[in-house]
Amino acid sequence: MTSDQAPARPALLVLGMHRSGTSALAGVLGRAGFALPQELMPPTEHNPRGYFESTRIFRLNDTLLAAAGSSWDDWRAFDADWHLSPAAEPFRTEAQEALAAEFPGTAPIVLKDPRICRLLPFWTEALTEAGFRPLAVCTHRPAREVGASLARRNGWPEARGLLLWLRHVLDAEAQTRGRPRVFVSYDGLLADWRGTLGRIAAAFDLALPRPLDEAAPEIEAFLSADLRHFRPDAPETPAAAAGLSDWIARPEEILDRWAAGEDRPGDRETLDQIAAEVAAAAPLLAGLAGAVEEQGARLEREAALRHEAQTILQQERQRLGGLTAELQLQLHHRALHVAELERHAGELAEQLRQKTQHEAELERHAGELARQLRQKTQQAAELERHAGELSALAHELRQQVHHKGRHVQELEAHAGDLEARLLALEAEHAALLGSASWKVTHPLRRMSLALRRPKS
């Protein structure tokens, strides 16, 4: 690197077998501030917390293995020089584009996919050309746990999972020799994640991008006991029955010691010897594997059928769950409607009670009015009778008035006669008083008057 070039960007390569806790380690590194891919593979039922690996690079790795005549579950040796072959050339540009798209910026990155254990030379070269400094973080989990987990998930014979575990750890160890690397374990991560991060940072002379005190709550919440999906308890395994125990036990012991910081002379030679033994036995194992593969294929078909049946059952359960939820919602709405109807019925009953009470009051009032009507009718009849009497009396009075009128007329005529006679008499009286004889007889009248007076 010249003085005008930027320092290579650290790239932590999480290397380990499938179901070995690589996702847990990548998740912890991401929470410690290392950059994870942009397009993360979504969680599944097997990894509900997520895989923390690039979907794009995962697909590219499957394509690379297929182009080399292999696959993710192939336990046989992979050609370490395949990345130099013309078959690998078309994928170099795609790898560069994937790295640029998935890891923008300048922060140290985490690249994780168990397939990289088989394709390490290709990705070491691709990372270096892209300006990264590859740093191998080799992690492992007890082989029996991995084999049991794969047997449960994929329906494999456990020996197949153990061979695949052996292939991944042997390839990852052999291809990182002479390169910056550190060994950790899944058990160590769960027991002391701070110590594991400290070993990684110290091995590569890196400062953690995020302070541990700040990241600790998230990491503690992320790492929990239920991350260990399976831990077998049986002392015997199919590995021992298949004669694989020594091939598994010795590498596992070496990896455990390396993860604890203890490196013994002869460890690498032991791993090389086991790799040579596996290579020598490969034709025999391949023959045996054919029968096992056939059985495994049958088991996989059965597992696929079970999975399909479970999927159909799950879909039916979901459909029934949806129908149940819909029916419960309808029932809730019906209950609300019934409650509303009951409330309305109560209101109507109250209105009916009030109406009945009002009608009773009206009937009582009508009875009272009928009684008053009878009284009024009786009074009217009495008045009519009385009116008849009054009419008869009026007729009689009119007759009397008529007769009285005639009598008055007669009286008036007689009064006229009397008045005429009175006038005549008054005239005569006046004539008499003015006559000489009245005057001559005045003394006599006085004497007569005096004689008529009583004596006192």
Side-chain angles (χ1 to χ4, degrees):
M1 182 180 67
T2 61
S3 59
D4 59 343
Q5 289 179 317
R9 187 178 172 192
L12 299 185
L13 289 172
V14 176
L15 303 176
M17 169 60 186
H18 303 267
R19 315 302 297 163
S20 289
T22 55
S23 298
L25 179 55
V28 169
L29 290 170
R31 285 163 176 77
F34 291 90
L36 295 171
Q38 295 290 299
E39 184 185 356
L40 287 176
M41 184 183 297
T44 67
E45 60 177 323
H46 303 296
N47 260 20
R49 283 175 171 77
Y51 290 85
F52 306 102
E53 61 186 70
S54 163
T55 300
R56 180 172 179 174
I57 292 176
F58 147 74
R59 290 171 180 163
L60 175 57
N61 285 334
D62 264 351
T63 304
L64 291 171
L65 290 171
S70 185
S71 62
W72 77 271
D73 56 353
D74 187 357
W75 59 268
R76 295 170 299 176
F78 188 82
D79 184 3
D81 293 327
W82 178 83
H83 69 290
L84 302 175
S85 67
E89 190 62 33
F91 302 106
R92 298 185 186 281
T93 301
E94 187 176 350
Q96 296 296 319
E97 292 175 350
L99 289 172
E102 295 290 4
F103 300 104
T106 59
I109 72 167
V110 176
L111 179 58
K112 171 255 174 182
D113 180 358
R115 294 162 182 78
I116 297 178
C117 292
R118 318 290 307 285
L119 300 165
L120 194 55
F122 176 88
W123 282 107
T124 299
E125 186 177 276
L127 286 164
T128 302
E129 292 177 356
F132 291 94
R133 178 164 61 101
L135 306 171
V137 182
C138 301
T139 186
H140 71 282
R141 181 182 184 182
R144 289 177 55 219
E145 293 186 14
V146 174
S149 179
L150 288 171
R152 185 178 62 171
R153 189 188 75 176
N154 296 72
W156 292 351
E158 191 172 348
R160 179 179 178 183
L162 294 172
L163 277 174
L164 196 59
W165 177 92
L166 181 61
R167 174 54 58 196
H168 279 70
V169 299
L170 289 177
D171 285 358
E173 190 281 324
Q175 294 172 16
T176 56
R177 288 183 187 178
R179 297 181 178 277
R181 69 180 185 177
V182 66
F183 287 86
V184 297
S185 71
Y186 183 50
D187 286 342
L189 178 70
L190 294 181
D192 180 16
W193 61 266
R194 292 176 182 269
T196 299
L197 287 180
R199 279 179 51 77
I200 294 171
F204 305 128
D205 193 23
L206 287 177
L208 295 177
R210 186 182 183 194
L212 279 188
D213 290 341
E214 178 184 322
E218 294 181 24
I219 296 176
E220 292 286 356
F222 173 69
L223 289 179
S224 58
D226 61 346
L227 277 176
R228 184 177 296 281
H229 302 290
F230 191 84
R231 181 190 286 276
D233 297 320
E236 278 298 317
T237 69
L244 298 176
S245 59
D246 195 43
W247 285 355
I248 300 300
R250 285 184 295 168
E252 192 172 283
E253 178 189 353
I254 291 171
L255 293 176
D256 284 339
R257 283 194 282 101
W258 287 359
E262 182 184 350
D263 190 350
R264 294 181 184 177
D267 284 345
R268 289 160 185 78
E269 289 75 10
T270 299
L271 295 175
D272 289 341
Q273 180 185 349
I274 293 174
E277 291 174 0
V278 173
L284 176 61
L285 290 174
L288 294 174
V292 173
E293 292 291 339
E294 182 179 350
Q295 181 185 8
R298 179 178 60 80
L299 292 175
E300 285 182 0
R301 288 194 297 272
E302 292 177 358
L305 290 175
R306 285 196 301 271
H307 178 70
E308 182 179 359
Q310 290 174 353
T311 300
I312 294 174
L313 180 60
Q314 182 65 23
Q315 291 173 348
E316 285 299 309
R317 286 175 177 170
Q318 291 177 351
R319 185 179 66 83
L320 290 175
L323 290 175
T324 301
E326 182 179 353
L327 289 175
Q328 288 177 342
L329 182 60
Q330 292 180 2
L331 182 62
H332 177 67
H333 289 162
R334 293 291 174 84
L336 292 177
H337 185 59
V338 168
E340 180 66 19
L341 290 177
E342 289 177 349
R343 186 189 63 79
H344 187 58
E347 293 178 352
L348 290 177
E350 178 62 20
Q351 293 177 3
L352 180 61
R353 187 189 65 79
Q354 293 178 356
K355 183 178 180 181
T356 303
Q357 183 178 1
H358 184 63
E359 288 178 350
E361 183 68 19
L362 289 177
E363 288 180 358
R364 186 189 63 78
H365 188 59
E368 180 67 20
L369 290 177
R371 186 185 63 78
Q372 292 179 4
L373 180 61
R374 287 193 300 272
Q375 291 178 351
K376 296 295 183 182
T377 302
Q378 292 174 357
Q379 291 176 359
E382 182 68 19
L383 289 174
E384 185 176 357
R385 183 185 62 76
H386 188 59
E389 293 177 353
L390 291 177
S391 177
L393 180 59
H395 178 71
E396 182 179 351
L397 289 174
R398 283 194 296 272
Q399 292 293 329
Q400 291 179 3
V401 168
H402 176 70
H403 293 308
K404 294 293 181 180
R406 292 178 59 187
H407 182 64
V408 167
Q409 289 177 354
E410 291 177 356
L411 291 176
E412 287 179 349
H414 183 65
D417 294 342
L418 291 177
E419 186 177 1
R421 290 178 60 189
L422 178 60
L423 291 173
L425 289 175
E426 288 179 348
E428 289 177 3
H429 181 263
L432 178 61
L433 293 177
S435 65
S437 60
W438 179 262
K439 295 176 179 181
V440 173
T441 62
H442 177 67
L444 293 176
R445 289 194 302 274
R446 290 183 63 183
M447 186 180 293
S448 176
L449 180 59
L451 290 176
R452 288 195 300 265
R453 292 179 180 172
K455 293 181 180 180
S456 56

